[in-house]
Amino acid sequence: MPTSQSSEPGDTRITISNICSVQGFKMMRFILDRMLGRMRSWLRLFGYDTIYAEEGEEDGTLFLRAKHEGRILLSRDKALVERCRRRGVRAVQIRSLDIVGQLTEVMIHLGVDPSPKMIRCTLCNDQIKRLNKDELEALREEGYDYIPVSPPDDREFWQCTGCGQVFWEGGHWENIRKTEELLRRRYMTAERLRHKLEHWIEHSEGHLESYRKAMEEAGDLGLRDVQDDLKQAVQAMEDATGWLMSALKRLKMEDSGEG
């Protein structure tokens, strides 16, 4: 769990610059449409600056916010994603309906790191800071009676610098860790699939040359029926290679927006 501190004495703010430099965190900023509400908290938990469409917010406003703030638009709306791309805004169409599937998509297509990072508030998206023992006691005296009493060496607490919400690793973290492990397994599966596709494409292209040469030889020998069959084989192999290349492109790159 990241607990980097500022060099300033007494400052327990976890700086995003430290997280990025020390752990190679790939900084990305997101804006989500209202069909992807559950992703909001998860992406913030993973450390990403993530905002959410306001009630009734028009697509044009989402586009402008993404463009002006340098955010990647995530949406289930194919037409909106295509409009954004045509106008130079990075956008990804999310197809999955369940949250694990949606997180898998952004992990594979954008390189989202599914490790929980105590950087951002999952409620309001502001930064959070780690609390020391005295700060915890002061909060309890102020009425934060929901904060569990725990020895300082046993459990860490954080507070949002914006909304004031206090966080700690409670029982729900078991499910969070299980989700992280599941996402990492899915990523490894996707990597194996990528290697398979690259291998198949390489071999298909090699076989195509042999098929074409054999087809020419059959023609030179006057074996028209054989030549016709080989021609069909070449066409089938070309089609198969094209589909394999399309699958690889979809896997390696951002969603193409196609249906």
Side-chain angles (χ1 to χ4, degrees):
M1 184 64 60
T3 54
S4 303
Q5 296 186 24
S6 167
S7 58
E8 183 178 346
D11 186 354
T12 55
R13 181 187 297 271
I14 301 171
T15 62
I16 293 178
S17 60
N18 285 343
I19 295 295
C20 295
S21 61
V22 173
Q23 301 189 12
F25 182 61
K26 181 181 178 182
M27 179 57 63
M28 288 179 284
R29 308 175 76 204
F30 298 103
I31 182 168
L32 280 56
D33 70 16
R34 295 195 65 82
M35 292 182 281
L36 299 173
R38 291 191 65 192
M39 288 186 71
R40 168 180 50 180
S41 297
W42 281 96
L43 289 174
R44 290 171 179 172
L45 178 65
F46 297 158
Y48 296 97
D49 180 349
T50 304
I51 60 176
Y52 185 59
E54 302 291 342
E55 182 72 37
E57 188 169 6
E58 298 291 334
D59 289 351
T61 306
L62 285 179
F63 161 77
L64 290 174
R65 292 175 72 187
K67 182 177 181 179
H68 294 159
E69 299 177 23
R71 296 182 181 274
I72 301 171
L73 174 71
L74 303 180
S75 174
R76 289 188 52 79
D77 187 336
K78 176 182 177 181
L80 173 59
V81 169
E82 290 178 342
R83 286 199 300 273
C84 287
R85 287 176 174 168
R86 286 196 299 267
R87 300 174 69 179
V89 171
R90 198 175 181 190
V92 177
Q93 181 188 0
I94 303 298
R95 288 186 169 86
S96 299
L97 296 176
D98 65 285
I99 185 61
V100 173
Q102 292 170 354
L103 294 173
T104 299
E105 289 187 54
V106 295
M107 179 180 62
I108 292 173
H109 296 315
L110 295 172
V112 164
D113 178 9
S115 301
K117 303 171 189 67
M118 302 309 292
I119 301 175
R120 293 196 172 275
C121 176
T122 57
L123 299 180
C124 75
N125 197 46
D126 212 327
Q127 293 190 46
I128 62 176
K129 67 174 184 177
R130 189 173 59 183
L131 298 171
N132 58 37
K133 182 179 179 180
D134 292 338
E135 289 171 326
L136 275 173
E137 291 303 322
L139 287 175
R140 290 192 181 100
E141 292 176 1
E142 292 175 12
Y144 285 72
D145 52 4
Y146 63 85
I147 301 176
V149 178
S150 177
D153 294 335
D154 182 51
R155 185 180 298 182
E156 291 184 320
F157 295 84
W158 295 265
Q159 184 177 31
C160 176
T161 58
C163 68
Q165 179 69 32
V166 177
F167 300 91
W168 64 91
E169 292 191 17
H172 64 292
W173 272 80
E174 181 178 353
N175 289 330
I176 290 174
R177 293 299 185 189
K178 287 181 178 178
T179 300
E180 178 190 2
E181 292 174 7
L182 174 59
L183 290 171
R184 292 193 181 282
R185 289 197 300 270
R186 287 189 167 201
Y187 180 80
M188 294 304 298
T189 300
E191 282 295 286
R192 288 194 295 270
L193 178 57
R194 179 178 65 82
H195 288 301
K196 287 179 181 178
L197 288 169
E198 291 173 343
H199 175 75
W200 292 338
I201 290 169
E202 180 181 357
H203 279 262
S204 294
E205 291 174 340
H207 288 311
L208 266 172
E209 291 302 315
S210 298
Y211 291 174
R212 292 190 184 104
K213 184 176 180 180
M215 184 177 67
E216 293 174 359
E217 291 173 344
D220 293 340
L221 293 171
L223 303 174
R224 300 305 178 191
D225 291 343
V226 175
Q227 185 183 36
D228 289 343
D229 287 344
L230 287 171
K231 183 177 181 180
Q232 293 296 323
V234 168
Q235 183 61 56
M237 182 64 74
E238 288 176 342
D239 291 343
T241 302
W243 286 114
L244 290 172
M245 294 177 69
S246 176
L248 181 61
K249 180 180 178 181
R250 290 177 183 272
L251 184 63
K252 291 174 64 175
M253 302 175 65
E254 290 184 12
D255 194 304
S256 65
E258 299 174 0

